[in-house]
Amino acid sequence: TAVYEREANYFASQLLIDDAGFLDYASMQYTYAKIAAELNVHEELVIIKGDILKRQGYKLNVPYAPKAGYLGKKWS
């Protein structure tokens, strides 16, 4: 279900993206796409990580919260 997919995506972002590394790139004003490219992860995981850190009190501009099933999409 969507709830489990969302939880899995949040877990994956925490597992794959180090807080300090993300914040370092963010402090250099990298876009979420550029952070994703630098860290070799999907951009949606970077957005989720930004959302998590914003909720922890960091000043970040998170463009939107991705829907749960974004990784299941077929990309052309």
Side-chain angles (χ1 to χ4, degrees), residues 3-76:
V3 172
Y4 293 121
E5 288 181 45
R6 185 173 179 86
E7 287 178 15
N9 294 340
Y10 271 72
F11 177 79
S13 72
Q14 289 287 73
L15 180 67
L16 297 173
I17 304 171
D18 177 62
D19 290 2
F22 176 94
L23 292 168
D24 196 33
Y25 287 125
S27 73
M28 293 186 281
Q29 305 211 354
Y30 278 31
T31 64
Y32 283 87
K34 177 114 171 136
I35 294 171
E38 291 291 328
L39 299 176
N40 199 31
V41 297
H42 197 283
E43 185 177 353
E44 301 291 339
L45 290 179
V46 173
I47 293 168
I48 289 170
K49 184 65 169 191
D51 184 51
I52 291 168
L53 293 172
K54 185 175 181 178
R55 291 173 193 230
Q56 292 175 359
Y58 291 95
K59 303 283 186 207
L60 299 168
N61 182 20
V62 180
Y64 63 93
K67 296 185 180 185
Y70 75 89
L71 286 176
K73 288 185 200 173
K74 290 187 179 182
W75 301 97
S76 43

